[in-house]
Amino acid sequence: MKNSAVEQSHHSSKIAFGIEGAALILAFVFAYTAIAKVYDWNATKLAMYNQVIPDWSKDLLLYGIPMMEVVVALMLLIPRWRYRGFLVSLMLMLVFTGYVAWVWFGWLIVTGK
């Protein structure tokens, strides 16, 4: 019986360690991308204005994406907010992946021009 409790405790520590590691890696990735966008603001702005998205959304995304990335990084670093941080990061990555697939396959979005 003792071995089972010890094994379960060891298993729980591995899971906690994995969750902590995943949170740190994701937080680093989101923080890095936000800092990179702000650091090279002109290139970020040029890249955003060359996207196939409606013109009205470009400025909103230009400022909103780096802010959201910082918020998600902070959420992942705060244990109380970590679960929500994982959910928001999943949502952001799915949206980004969907957008890349959209562009890659040549589907067009009406830009309102």
Side-chain angles (χ1 to χ4, degrees), residues 37-64:
K37 285 178 179 80
V38 172
Y39 181 76
D40 196 359
W41 188 253
N42 289 330
T44 302
K45 191 173 182 178
L46 180 64
M48 182 60 70
Y49 288 144
N50 284 325
Q51 297 303 310
V52 288
I53 55 176
D55 288 339
W56 61 265
S57 68
K58 291 178 181 179
D59 281 332
L60 180 67
L61 292 171
L62 179 65
Y63 292 96

Side-chain angles (χ1 to χ4, degrees), residues 5 11-12 17 21-22 30 32 49 56 61 81 84-85 91 99 106 112:
H11 182 69
S12 295
F17 182 75
F30 279 108
Y32 174 81
Y49 288 144
W56 61 265
L61 292 171
W81 288 89
R84 290 179 192 98
M91 180 193 69
Y99 175 72

Side-chain angles (χ1 to χ4, degrees), residues 6-7 25 34 54 63 74 78 80 87 103 110:
V6 170
E7 286 174 15
I25 290 168
Y63 292 96
L74 291 173
I78 300 170
R80 183 175 177 182
L87 290 177
V103 172
V110 177

Side-chain angles (χ1 to χ4, degrees), residues 26-36 69-70 73:
L26 275 173
F28 172 79
V29 168
F30 279 108
Y32 174 81
T33 57
I35 291 167
E69 289 169 339
V70 169

